[in-house]
Amino acid sequence: SQQGEEDPQALSIQEGENATMNCSYKTSINNLQWYRQNSGRGLVHLILIRSNEREKHSGRLRVTLDTSKKSSSLLITASRAADTASYFCATDREDSNYQLIWGAGTKLIIKP
Amino acid sequence: DTGVSQNPRHKITKRGQNVTFRCDPISEHNRLYWYRQTLGQGPEFLTYFQNEAQLEKSRLLSDRFSAERPKGSFSTLEIQRTEQGDSAMYLCASRVGSGSGNTIYFGEGSWLTVV
């Protein structure tokens, strides 16, 4: 069964604006990872945040984690057309050989 | 290129035929995963290897599916007597070490279309 749920399911913004995507999950986690997937392609790792971290930055990406609310957010600042993709959050399941459990993703469209 | 490699990238097959996909993980990665993904959905876990041992299989993996990792390096996923419902992208991923905390790296996937 899916663990994470991304919200919104789809997001369309103008180039240059910031994009925020949210992820909620159900069980305790060791870490949460965000991935990007261009249409028809594989998944590209963006950032990993551990359960004892609250915020992490990587270039134009900012990820927050609130373990009390079982939620995470991904912020992409100064969006570019090349950021158009689907974004997924994934969590490690302790009871299952640390396989990642995924949501259905947020489809982000950046309009030039 | 030292990333996860999958082939073939695309496969069209007739219903009832067998297909095999190959995955070459990143060389020092002892853990290997297979996932399946359909349009508009996140990946679904299929099976997991630690070195050559297949430690976990999803209930999604019917008897028609078999995966191997004979020498703890590359892996194959075979689907026998394919059905139209098997049409999906099959993703391979690898990871180093044990426990959590290490990034999982994915290949570009193998698209299967069953006609």
Side-chain angles (χ1 to χ4, degrees), chain B residues 19-112:
Chain B
V19 296
T20 299
F21 299 113
R22 176 179 169 126
C23 171
D24 288 89
I26 295 171
S27 60
E28 66 269 24
H29 286 189
N30 58 327
R31 295 190 284 173
L32 186 147
Y33 303 80
W34 284 98
Y35 286 83
R36 181 172 68 188
Q37 187 180 24
T38 53
L39 282 174
Q41 298 297 315
E44 294 177 298
F45 170 76
L46 292 179
T47 191
Y48 161 73
F49 289 86
Q50 185 160 314
N51 300 310
E52 66 276 8
Q54 188 175 21
L55 297 185
E56 189 166 353
K57 287 172 62 172
S58 165
R59 284 173 290 177
L60 291 174
L61 218 63
S62 75
D63 291 344
R64 297 184 297 106
F65 288 69
S66 62
E68 293 182 344
R69 195 183 182 196
K71 297 181 181 177
S73 56
F74 74 92
S75 175
T76 57
L77 176 68
E78 182 184 18
I79 309 173
Q80 296 181 324
R81 304 181 304 282
T82 52
E83 302 172 356
Q84 287 187 322
D86 298 331
S87 296
M89 182 161 68
Y90 291 85
L91 290 158
C92 177
S94 71
R95 191 178 204 179
V96 71
S98 61
S100 66
N102 294 316
T103 299
I104 293 184
Y105 294 91
F106 282 82
E108 286 290 335
S110 292
W111 278 104
L112 173 65

XYZ file of all heavy atoms in Angstrom, chain B residues 19-112:
759
model
N 9.227 -12.280 -21.315
C 10.177 -11.182 -21.472
C 11.150 -11.200 -20.297
O 10.810 -11.644 -19.201
C 9.493 -9.799 -21.545
C 8.610 -9.690 -22.765
C 8.715 -9.508 -20.282
N 12.344 -10.698 -20.556
C 13.360 -10.599 -19.498
C 13.997 -9.227 -19.545
O 14.377 -8.743 -20.614
C 14.442 -11.674 -19.672
O 13.840 -12.967 -19.584
C 15.504 -11.552 -18.570
N 14.127 -8.621 -18.386
C 14.799 -7.334 -18.240
C 16.061 -7.533 -17.414
O 16.093 -8.344 -16.497
C 13.896 -6.316 -17.552
C 12.628 -6.032 -18.302
C 11.406 -6.406 -17.790
C 12.665 -5.394 -19.534
C 10.239 -6.151 -18.484
C 11.502 -5.137 -20.237
C 10.278 -5.527 -19.715
N 17.067 -6.734 -17.738
C 18.326 -6.824 -17.016
C 18.635 -5.513 -16.335
O 18.346 -4.431 -16.862
C 19.460 -7.174 -17.978
C 20.833 -7.179 -17.297
C 21.951 -7.547 -18.224
N 23.247 -7.288 -17.608
C 24.211 -8.206 -17.503
N 24.030 -9.441 -17.977
N 25.362 -7.901 -16.932
N 19.239 -5.604 -15.166
C 19.661 -4.425 -14.419
C 21.107 -4.600 -13.972
O 21.464 -5.617 -13.372
C 18.772 -4.231 -13.193
S 19.354 -2.947 -12.064
N 21.924 -3.608 -14.268
C 23.290 -3.563 -13.750
C 23.360 -2.430 -12.728
O 23.304 -1.257 -13.117
C 24.292 -3.329 -14.881
C 24.443 -4.564 -15.751
O 23.686 -4.716 -16.740
O 25.310 -5.393 -15.418
N 23.472 -2.763 -11.456
C 23.484 -1.707 -10.437
C 24.830 -0.996 -10.395
O 25.792 -1.399 -11.077
C 23.255 -2.491 -9.149
C 23.882 -3.825 -9.426
C 23.618 -4.099 -10.885
N 24.910 0.029 -9.594
C 26.188 0.686 -9.325
C 27.091 -0.335 -8.641
O 26.649 -1.067 -7.752
C 25.972 1.941 -8.459
C 25.164 2.960 -9.276
C 27.297 2.544 -8.002
C 24.686 4.164 -8.493
N 28.352 -0.386 -9.054
C 29.189 -1.554 -8.772
C 29.343 -1.878 -7.285
O 29.336 -3.036 -6.906
C 30.566 -1.391 -9.416
O 31.197 -0.239 -8.902
N 29.458 -0.922 -6.432
C 29.686 -1.241 -5.016
C 28.388 -1.399 -4.217
O 28.416 -1.611 -3.008
C 30.561 -0.163 -4.356
C 29.916 1.199 -4.264
C 30.204 2.090 -5.453
O 30.513 1.553 -6.540
O 30.102 3.322 -5.309
N 27.253 -1.326 -4.891
C 25.969 -1.399 -4.199
C 25.560 -2.850 -3.979
O 25.360 -3.604 -4.929
C 24.897 -0.661 -4.998
C 25.030 0.817 -4.934
N 24.067 1.663 -5.426
C 26.005 1.604 -4.432
C 24.445 2.925 -5.218
N 25.624 2.899 -4.624
N 25.379 -3.232 -2.716
C 25.017 -4.605 -2.414
C 23.507 -4.834 -2.418
O 23.052 -5.971 -2.486
C 25.602 -5.018 -1.059
C 25.131 -4.112 0.075
O 24.902 -2.923 -0.109
N 24.979 -4.683 1.258
N 22.734 -3.765 -2.365
C 21.287 -3.922 -2.307
C 20.668 -3.502 -3.631
O 21.036 -2.473 -4.193
C 20.703 -3.114 -1.154
C 21.167 -3.640 0.199
C 20.399 -3.004 1.327
N 20.829 -1.644 1.605
C 20.204 -0.838 2.470
N 19.129 -1.254 3.098
N 20.652 0.368 2.684
N 19.713 -4.295 -4.093
C 19.084 -4.052 -5.389
C 17.579 -4.240 -5.258
O 17.106 -5.182 -4.616
C 19.665 -5.024 -6.439
C 19.230 -4.828 -7.881
C 20.363 -5.198 -8.835
C 17.986 -5.631 -8.209
N 16.834 -3.332 -5.869
C 15.374 -3.339 -5.796
C 14.787 -3.338 -7.207
O 15.329 -2.707 -8.105
C 14.861 -2.075 -5.091
C 15.392 -1.832 -3.706
C 16.651 -1.267 -3.517
C 14.624 -2.129 -2.584
C 17.133 -1.016 -2.239
C 15.102 -1.877 -1.304
C 16.358 -1.320 -1.144
O 16.832 -1.071 0.124
N 13.638 -3.991 -7.337
C 12.823 -3.861 -8.533
C 11.486 -3.223 -8.135
O 10.871 -3.630 -7.135
C 12.559 -5.213 -9.199
C 13.697 -5.781 -9.972
C 14.593 -6.717 -9.559
C 14.060 -5.463 -11.320
N 15.497 -6.999 -10.554
C 15.192 -6.247 -11.652
C 13.540 -4.595 -12.291
C 15.815 -6.193 -12.905
C 14.163 -4.548 -13.528
C 15.278 -5.331 -13.832
N 11.066 -2.248 -8.928
C 9.781 -1.591 -8.740
C 9.027 -1.619 -10.062
O 9.625 -1.709 -11.138
C 9.948 -0.121 -8.337
C 10.409 0.106 -6.913
C 11.769 0.041 -6.591
C 9.508 0.413 -5.912
C 12.194 0.269 -5.291
C 9.921 0.641 -4.607
C 11.273 0.565 -4.306
O 11.695 0.790 -3.020
N 7.729 -1.481 -9.983
C 6.892 -1.339 -11.180
C 6.131 -0.022 -11.044
O 5.676 0.335 -9.948
C 5.897 -2.498 -11.300
C 5.019 -2.432 -12.529
C 4.198 -3.686 -12.680
N 3.195 -3.813 -11.634
C 2.460 -4.896 -11.461
N 2.627 -5.959 -12.236
N 1.564 -4.930 -10.508
N 5.987 0.686 -12.175
C 5.293 1.967 -12.155
C 4.371 2.071 -13.353
O 4.785 1.830 -14.494
C 6.292 3.132 -12.172
C 5.641 4.485 -11.991
C 6.649 5.614 -12.009
O 7.740 5.494 -12.562
N 6.290 6.731 -11.388
N 3.121 2.435 -13.102
C 2.180 2.706 -14.179
C 1.931 4.210 -14.236
O 2.245 4.945 -13.293
C 0.866 1.952 -13.971
O 0.366 2.237 -12.653
C 1.076 0.447 -14.099
N 1.375 4.658 -15.344
C 1.201 6.089 -15.589
C 0.411 6.755 -14.468
O -0.639 6.263 -14.053
C 0.501 6.320 -16.931
C 1.376 6.180 -18.170
C 0.534 6.278 -19.429
C 2.487 7.222 -18.182
N 0.933 7.861 -13.976
C 0.229 8.639 -12.972
C 0.332 8.100 -11.560
O -0.301 8.630 -10.651
N 1.134 7.058 -11.388
C 1.291 6.448 -10.067
C 2.747 6.467 -9.636
O 3.659 6.577 -10.450
C 0.793 5.003 -10.082
C -0.678 4.866 -10.410
C -1.562 5.528 -9.378
O -1.353 5.384 -8.170
N -2.541 6.276 -9.836
N 2.951 6.336 -8.335
C 4.303 6.165 -7.836
C 4.753 4.727 -8.029
O 3.945 3.842 -8.314
N 6.048 4.477 -7.861
C 6.548 3.115 -8.006
C 5.973 2.181 -6.956
O 5.725 2.594 -5.818
C 8.054 3.284 -7.809
C 8.326 4.720 -8.085
C 7.116 5.448 -7.640
N 5.770 0.926 -7.335
C 5.325 -0.116 -6.404
C 6.434 -1.140 -6.258
O 6.972 -1.630 -7.249
C 4.074 -0.805 -6.942
C 2.852 0.082 -7.012
C 1.684 -0.667 -7.622
O 1.795 -1.074 -8.796
O 0.675 -0.846 -6.925
N 6.751 -1.470 -5.041
C 7.826 -2.407 -4.751
C 7.480 -3.805 -5.268
O 6.366 -4.289 -5.079
C 8.043 -2.459 -3.238
C 8.964 -3.553 -2.773
C 10.334 -3.435 -2.944
C 8.464 -4.695 -2.168
C 11.187 -4.435 -2.506
C 9.308 -5.696 -1.732
C 10.672 -5.571 -1.901
N 8.472 -4.449 -5.904
C 8.305 -5.823 -6.365
C 9.174 -6.795 -5.567
O 8.680 -7.780 -5.023
C 8.656 -5.947 -7.841
C 7.723 -5.245 -8.832
C 8.213 -5.437 -10.261
C 6.294 -5.753 -8.695
N 10.490 -6.520 -5.530
C 11.371 -7.464 -4.858
C 12.688 -6.795 -4.493
O 13.020 -5.727 -5.011
C 11.624 -8.713 -5.725
O 12.285 -9.716 -4.943
C 12.472 -8.387 -6.950
N 13.428 -7.431 -3.594
C 14.645 -6.855 -3.030
C 15.712 -7.935 -2.875
O 15.418 -9.049 -2.435
C 14.310 -6.241 -1.676
C 15.487 -5.993 -0.765
C 16.376 -4.962 -1.022
C 15.702 -6.786 0.360
C 17.450 -4.717 -0.188
C 16.772 -6.554 1.199
C 17.643 -5.516 0.932
O 18.707 -5.287 1.763
N 16.932 -7.594 -3.251
C 18.087 -8.471 -3.077
C 19.122 -7.788 -2.200
O 19.390 -6.591 -2.354
C 18.754 -8.761 -4.433
C 17.956 -9.656 -5.335
C 16.989 -9.123 -6.171
C 18.175 -11.022 -5.351
C 16.249 -9.941 -7.008
C 17.446 -11.850 -6.199
C 16.479 -11.306 -7.019
N 19.701 -8.566 -1.323
C 20.915 -8.129 -0.649
C 21.999 -9.095 -1.100
O 21.948 -10.286 -0.776
C 20.764 -8.134 0.862
C 21.986 -7.565 1.565
C 21.699 -7.123 2.988
O 20.705 -6.461 3.248
N 22.559 -7.518 3.909
N 22.958 -8.569 -1.823
C 23.921 -9.407 -2.539
C 23.134 -10.370 -3.434
O 22.274 -9.923 -4.190
C 24.849 -10.104 -1.557
C 25.626 -9.095 -0.725
O 26.233 -8.166 -1.261
N 25.574 -9.256 0.590
N 23.380 -11.684 -3.358
C 22.656 -12.589 -4.250
C 21.368 -13.127 -3.636
O 20.596 -13.822 -4.322
C 23.555 -13.761 -4.651
C 23.935 -14.702 -3.517
C 25.124 -14.209 -2.715
O 25.571 -13.061 -2.939
O 25.603 -14.967 -1.850
N 21.099 -12.812 -2.400
C 19.926 -13.347 -1.715
C 18.693 -12.480 -1.948
O 18.719 -11.264 -1.709
C 20.210 -13.448 -0.221
N 17.618 -13.130 -2.399
C 16.341 -12.434 -2.567
C 15.629 -12.462 -1.222
O 15.101 -13.491 -0.806
C 15.498 -13.116 -3.643
C 14.244 -12.342 -4.002
C 13.482 -12.965 -5.161
O 13.642 -14.151 -5.457
N 12.645 -12.201 -5.827
N 15.603 -11.318 -0.534
C 15.135 -11.279 0.836
C 13.662 -10.923 0.969
O 13.077 -11.152 2.032
C 15.981 -10.310 1.668
C 17.448 -10.674 1.813
C 18.156 -9.714 2.763
C 17.611 -12.113 2.301
N 13.109 -10.338 -0.058
C 11.715 -9.939 0.053
C 11.050 -9.896 -1.301
O 11.655 -9.486 -2.286
C 11.602 -8.569 0.724
C 10.177 -8.179 1.069
C 10.111 -6.995 2.018
O 11.162 -6.570 2.504
O 8.990 -6.515 2.265
N 9.801 -10.370 -1.335
C 9.000 -10.330 -2.552
C 7.636 -9.772 -2.215
O 7.004 -10.194 -1.236
C 8.821 -11.745 -3.131
C 10.066 -12.312 -3.767
C 9.882 -13.768 -4.145
C 8.786 -13.983 -5.163
N 8.734 -15.361 -5.667
N 7.152 -8.861 -3.020
C 5.822 -8.309 -2.842
C 4.770 -9.316 -3.268
O 5.017 -10.172 -4.130
C 5.690 -7.036 -3.664
O 4.348 -6.645 -3.794
N 3.581 -9.168 -2.696
C 2.463 -9.998 -3.144
C 2.085 -9.675 -4.581
O 1.389 -10.427 -5.238
C 1.263 -9.793 -2.227
C 1.404 -10.514 -0.898
C 0.290 -10.143 0.044
N 0.407 -8.770 0.504
C -0.471 -8.175 1.298
N -1.546 -8.824 1.699
N -0.290 -6.934 1.682
N 2.554 -8.492 -5.070
C 2.304 -8.131 -6.465
C 3.027 -9.070 -7.412
O 2.669 -9.195 -8.580
C 2.798 -6.707 -6.730
C 2.057 -5.555 -6.075
C 2.794 -4.255 -6.346
C 0.632 -5.479 -6.579
N 4.077 -9.715 -6.907
C 4.918 -10.561 -7.749
C 4.275 -11.944 -7.840
O 4.503 -12.801 -6.984
C 6.320 -10.646 -7.149
C 7.493 -10.653 -8.121
C 7.559 -9.366 -8.893
C 8.785 -10.893 -7.379
N 3.481 -12.130 -8.904
C 2.797 -13.417 -9.061
C 3.799 -14.488 -9.465
O 4.981 -14.219 -9.689
C 1.700 -13.289 -10.119
O 2.280 -13.257 -11.421
N 3.290 -15.707 -9.587
C 4.144 -16.839 -9.959
C 4.743 -16.664 -11.352
O 5.708 -17.334 -11.701
C 3.339 -18.145 -9.918
C 2.973 -18.515 -8.492
O 3.600 -17.948 -7.563
O 2.069 -19.353 -8.308
N 4.173 -15.762 -12.141
C 4.709 -15.560 -13.495
C 5.969 -14.699 -13.480
O 6.661 -14.605 -14.477
C 3.654 -14.907 -14.378
C 2.401 -15.741 -14.594
C 1.442 -15.060 -15.560
N 0.957 -13.781 -15.036
C 1.365 -12.596 -15.475
N 2.266 -12.513 -16.451
N 0.866 -11.485 -14.957
N 6.224 -14.070 -12.364
C 7.386 -13.194 -12.239
C 8.492 -13.917 -11.473
O 8.238 -14.542 -10.442
C 7.031 -11.919 -11.457
C 6.166 -10.949 -12.194
C 4.842 -11.235 -12.474
C 6.680 -9.726 -12.609
C 4.043 -10.332 -13.152
C 5.885 -8.805 -13.283
C 4.568 -9.108 -13.549
N 9.713 -13.802 -11.982
C 10.848 -14.330 -11.228
C 12.028 -13.393 -11.400
O 12.250 -12.828 -12.469
C 11.215 -15.739 -11.690
O 11.603 -15.727 -13.045
N 12.761 -13.219 -10.326
C 13.933 -12.349 -10.360
C 15.118 -13.105 -9.798
O 14.974 -13.933 -8.907
C 13.685 -11.074 -9.564
N 16.281 -12.804 -10.359
C 17.509 -13.442 -9.910
C 18.624 -12.411 -9.823
O 18.613 -11.399 -10.536
C 17.934 -14.534 -10.895
C 17.010 -15.721 -10.958
C 17.539 -16.779 -11.915
O 18.426 -16.471 -12.728
O 17.049 -17.924 -11.832
N 19.577 -12.727 -8.995
C 20.811 -11.930 -8.930
C 21.931 -12.919 -8.629
O 22.449 -12.960 -7.516
C 20.697 -10.853 -7.851
C 21.769 -9.784 -7.981
C 21.694 -8.756 -6.865
N 22.699 -7.723 -7.057
C 23.082 -6.882 -6.108
N 22.544 -6.956 -4.892
N 23.992 -5.971 -6.361
N 22.292 -13.711 -9.609
C 23.116 -14.904 -9.381
C 24.470 -14.675 -8.735
O 24.914 -15.478 -7.938
C 23.260 -15.507 -10.784
C 22.915 -14.405 -11.726
C 21.960 -13.523 -11.028
N 25.135 -13.618 -9.039
C 26.466 -13.410 -8.469
C 26.506 -12.157 -7.609
O 27.581 -11.652 -7.299
C 27.514 -13.322 -9.588
C 27.627 -14.599 -10.404
C 28.686 -14.482 -11.478
C 28.754 -15.763 -12.297
N 29.748 -15.651 -13.403
N 25.350 -11.687 -7.248
C 25.316 -10.489 -6.425
C 25.673 -9.223 -7.166
O 25.940 -8.198 -6.542
N 25.682 -9.328 -8.516
C 25.981 -8.100 -9.275
C 24.742 -7.721 -10.075
O 23.817 -7.135 -9.518
C 27.208 -8.306 -10.169
O 27.011 -9.422 -11.029
N 24.667 -8.120 -11.363
C 23.501 -7.760 -12.162
C 22.301 -8.602 -11.735
O 22.442 -9.650 -11.080
C 23.793 -7.938 -13.653
C 23.842 -9.379 -14.094
C 22.710 -10.013 -14.568
C 25.028 -10.100 -14.037
C 22.745 -11.340 -14.958
C 25.080 -11.420 -14.424
C 23.929 -12.051 -14.891
N 21.124 -8.141 -12.133
C 19.888 -8.866 -11.807
C 19.029 -8.967 -13.065
O 19.126 -8.116 -13.959
C 19.116 -8.129 -10.716
O 17.861 -8.747 -10.454
N 18.202 -10.004 -13.111
C 17.238 -10.136 -14.188
C 15.847 -10.287 -13.596
O 15.669 -10.867 -12.519
C 17.534 -11.349 -15.088
O 17.563 -12.531 -14.283
C 18.855 -11.179 -15.816
N 14.877 -9.740 -14.311
C 13.467 -9.884 -13.961
C 12.781 -10.504 -15.163
O 12.797 -9.927 -16.251
C 12.846 -8.530 -13.633
C 11.346 -8.508 -13.330
C 11.046 -9.216 -12.012
C 10.817 -7.075 -13.282
N 12.216 -11.691 -14.987
C 11.541 -12.369 -16.077
C 10.052 -12.409 -15.808
O 9.615 -12.690 -14.690
C 12.066 -13.806 -16.260
C 11.407 -14.532 -17.426
C 11.828 -15.982 -17.586
O 12.369 -16.557 -16.625
O 11.592 -16.538 -18.679
N 9.286 -12.123 -16.845
C 7.831 -12.244 -16.774
C 7.424 -13.308 -17.783
O 7.700 -13.171 -18.983
C 7.123 -10.924 -17.091
C 7.685 -9.777 -16.247
C 5.617 -11.062 -16.855
C 7.147 -8.409 -16.628
N 6.804 -14.344 -17.303
C 6.347 -15.421 -18.183
C 4.877 -15.221 -18.534
O 4.106 -14.656 -17.751
C 6.542 -16.775 -17.498
C 8.003 -17.103 -17.221
C 8.159 -18.467 -16.557
O 7.339 -18.869 -15.739
N 9.205 -19.189 -16.925
N 4.515 -15.678 -19.724
C 3.103 -15.641 -20.171
C 2.512 -14.254 -19.902
O 1.532 -14.099 -19.173
C 2.295 -16.730 -19.457
C 2.871 -18.123 -19.634
C 2.024 -19.189 -18.937
N 1.829 -18.945 -17.520
C 2.714 -19.185 -16.575
N 3.894 -19.691 -16.887
N 2.433 -18.950 -15.305
N 3.128 -13.247 -20.517
C 2.733 -11.872 -20.246
C 1.255 -11.633 -20.513
O 0.642 -12.233 -21.407
C 3.548 -10.888 -21.094
O 3.478 -11.286 -22.472
C 4.984 -10.830 -20.632
N 0.696 -10.725 -19.711
C -0.694 -10.296 -19.833
C -0.702 -8.786 -20.067
O 0.264 -8.094 -19.744
C -1.454 -10.636 -18.546
C -1.435 -12.106 -18.198
C -2.028 -12.392 -16.818
O -2.390 -11.427 -16.108
O -2.135 -13.585 -16.458
N -1.814 -8.287 -20.584
C -1.876 -6.847 -20.867
C -1.696 -6.026 -19.590
O -1.139 -4.925 -19.619
C -3.188 -6.508 -21.577
C -3.200 -6.978 -23.020
C -4.416 -6.495 -23.785
O -5.502 -6.446 -23.246
N -4.225 -6.165 -25.046
N -2.126 -6.555 -18.485
C -1.966 -5.853 -17.216
C -0.531 -5.719 -16.757
O -0.248 -4.984 -15.810
N 0.371 -6.433 -17.414
C 1.791 -6.315 -17.071
C 2.426 -5.086 -17.698
O 3.568 -4.738 -17.379
C 2.563 -7.563 -17.542
C 2.094 -8.839 -16.866
O 1.617 -8.766 -15.717
O 2.197 -9.908 -17.506
N 1.712 -4.425 -18.599
C 2.245 -3.235 -19.258
C 2.537 -2.167 -18.209
O 1.637 -1.746 -17.474
C 1.259 -2.700 -20.301
O 1.080 -3.630 -21.339
N 3.766 -1.735 -18.149
C 4.205 -0.788 -17.117
C 5.671 -0.470 -17.373
O 6.296 -1.034 -18.265
C 4.055 -1.396 -15.716
N 6.212 0.426 -16.535
C 7.652 0.633 -16.538
C 8.234 -0.136 -15.353
O 7.726 -0.020 -14.226
C 8.015 2.109 -16.428
C 9.530 2.340 -16.480
S 10.019 4.018 -16.893
C 9.474 4.903 -15.458
N 9.280 -0.878 -15.611
C 9.930 -1.669 -14.565
C 11.247 -0.968 -14.221
O 12.116 -0.785 -15.061
C 10.131 -3.105 -15.028
C 8.808 -3.809 -15.130
C 8.027 -3.700 -16.278
C 8.290 -4.524 -14.053
C 6.770 -4.294 -16.353
C 7.038 -5.122 -14.123
C 6.284 -4.997 -15.274
O 5.042 -5.584 -15.328
N 11.330 -0.561 -12.974
C 12.455 0.230 -12.497
C 13.356 -0.610 -11.614
O 12.892 -1.339 -10.746
C 11.962 1.432 -11.686
C 11.259 2.535 -12.454
C 10.388 3.349 -11.528
C 12.277 3.429 -13.136
N 14.637 -0.472 -11.822
C 15.629 -1.106 -10.961
C 16.332 -0.010 -10.172
O 16.556 1.094 -10.686
C 16.619 -1.887 -11.803
S 17.956 -2.650 -10.857
N 16.683 -0.309 -8.949
C 17.380 0.662 -8.111
C 18.408 -0.065 -7.267
O 18.272 -1.257 -6.978
C 16.394 1.408 -7.227
N 19.443 0.656 -6.861
C 20.455 0.042 -6.008
C 20.887 0.999 -4.911
O 20.699 2.223 -5.007
C 21.656 -0.426 -6.838
O 22.417 0.668 -7.325
N 21.487 0.387 -3.902
C 21.816 1.131 -2.693
C 22.980 0.436 -2.011
O 23.084 -0.790 -2.040
C 20.601 1.082 -1.785
C 20.582 1.980 -0.597
C 19.251 1.789 0.131
N 18.893 2.937 0.914
C 17.766 3.028 1.630
N 16.905 2.029 1.625
N 17.518 4.105 2.326
N 23.812 1.228 -1.357
C 24.968 0.651 -0.675
C 24.657 0.452 0.788
O 23.785 1.121 1.348
C 26.197 1.573 -0.847
C 26.040 2.854 -0.036
C 27.490 0.858 -0.492
N 25.343 -0.468 1.428
C 25.281 -0.617 2.868
C 24.055 -1.321 3.380
O 23.378 -2.041 2.650
N 23.783 -1.104 4.671
C 22.619 -1.712 5.325
C 21.844 -0.629 6.056
O 22.331 0.473 6.249
C 23.077 -2.787 6.310
O 23.897 -2.215 7.305
N 20.632 -0.948 6.434
C 19.822 0.032 7.131
C 19.381 1.158 6.204
O 19.468 1.057 4.983
N 18.901 2.209 6.790
C 18.421 3.336 5.995
C 19.483 4.429 5.991
O 20.547 4.279 6.554
C 17.128 3.870 6.602
O 17.384 4.438 7.876
N 19.187 5.501 5.354
C 20.083 6.652 5.391
C 20.935 6.804 4.164
O 21.608 7.805 4.002
N 20.944 5.799 3.301
C 21.699 5.925 2.062
C 20.732 6.080 0.895
O 19.704 5.437 0.829
C 22.565 4.690 1.833
C 23.651 4.573 2.883
O 24.295 5.566 3.214
N 23.850 3.392 3.411
N 21.154 6.908 -0.040
C 20.306 7.200 -1.189
C 20.099 5.958 -2.044
O 21.025 5.157 -2.235
C 20.956 8.302 -2.029
O 21.071 9.475 -1.218
C 20.129 8.610 -3.267
N 18.909 5.799 -2.553
C 18.629 4.758 -3.543
C 18.726 5.407 -4.922
O 18.118 6.449 -5.174
C 17.236 4.153 -3.330
C 17.204 3.373 -2.008
C 16.854 3.241 -4.486
C 15.906 2.649 -1.753
N 19.483 4.801 -5.802
C 19.683 5.319 -7.156
C 18.915 4.454 -8.142
O 19.011 3.225 -8.105
C 21.167 5.331 -7.522
C 21.966 6.306 -6.698
C 22.570 5.914 -5.513
C 22.087 7.636 -7.093
C 23.281 6.809 -4.737
C 22.803 8.541 -6.325
C 23.391 8.117 -5.150
O 24.092 9.026 -4.389
N 18.204 5.112 -9.043
C 17.362 4.410 -9.999
C 17.964 4.417 -11.396
O 18.671 5.354 -11.782
C 15.982 5.077 -10.068
C 15.097 4.718 -8.927
C 15.230 5.378 -7.718
C 14.143 3.729 -9.049
C 14.414 5.041 -6.644
C 13.326 3.391 -7.990
C 13.457 4.047 -6.781
N 17.629 3.366 -12.128
C 17.920 3.349 -13.552
C 16.837 4.105 -14.318
O 15.887 4.626 -13.722
N 16.977 4.125 -15.641
C 16.031 4.842 -16.490
C 14.750 4.050 -16.728
O 13.814 4.559 -17.318
C 16.679 5.178 -17.834
C 17.683 6.306 -17.760
C 17.036 7.653 -17.494
O 15.843 7.826 -17.817
O 17.725 8.531 -16.952
N 14.723 2.808 -16.290
C 13.519 2.007 -16.423
C 13.434 1.258 -17.736
O 14.091 1.608 -18.726
N 12.641 0.207 -17.717
C 12.346 -0.579 -18.922
C 10.840 -0.569 -19.129
O 10.092 -1.041 -18.278
C 12.818 -2.031 -18.751
O 14.218 -2.124 -18.697
N 10.439 0.007 -20.259
C 9.013 0.081 -20.580
C 8.575 -1.221 -21.223
O 9.164 -1.668 -22.197
C 8.750 1.220 -21.561
C 8.631 2.558 -20.946
C 9.559 3.548 -20.945
C 7.499 3.090 -20.243
N 9.084 4.653 -20.277
C 7.815 4.398 -19.841
C 6.233 2.568 -19.921
C 6.933 5.206 -19.133
C 5.351 3.376 -19.209
C 5.709 4.667 -18.822
N 7.493 -1.785 -20.709
C 6.928 -2.991 -21.302
C 5.526 -2.680 -21.805
O 4.698 -2.174 -21.055
C 6.856 -4.127 -20.290
C 6.119 -5.390 -20.758
C 6.860 -6.046 -21.925
C 5.941 -6.383 -19.618
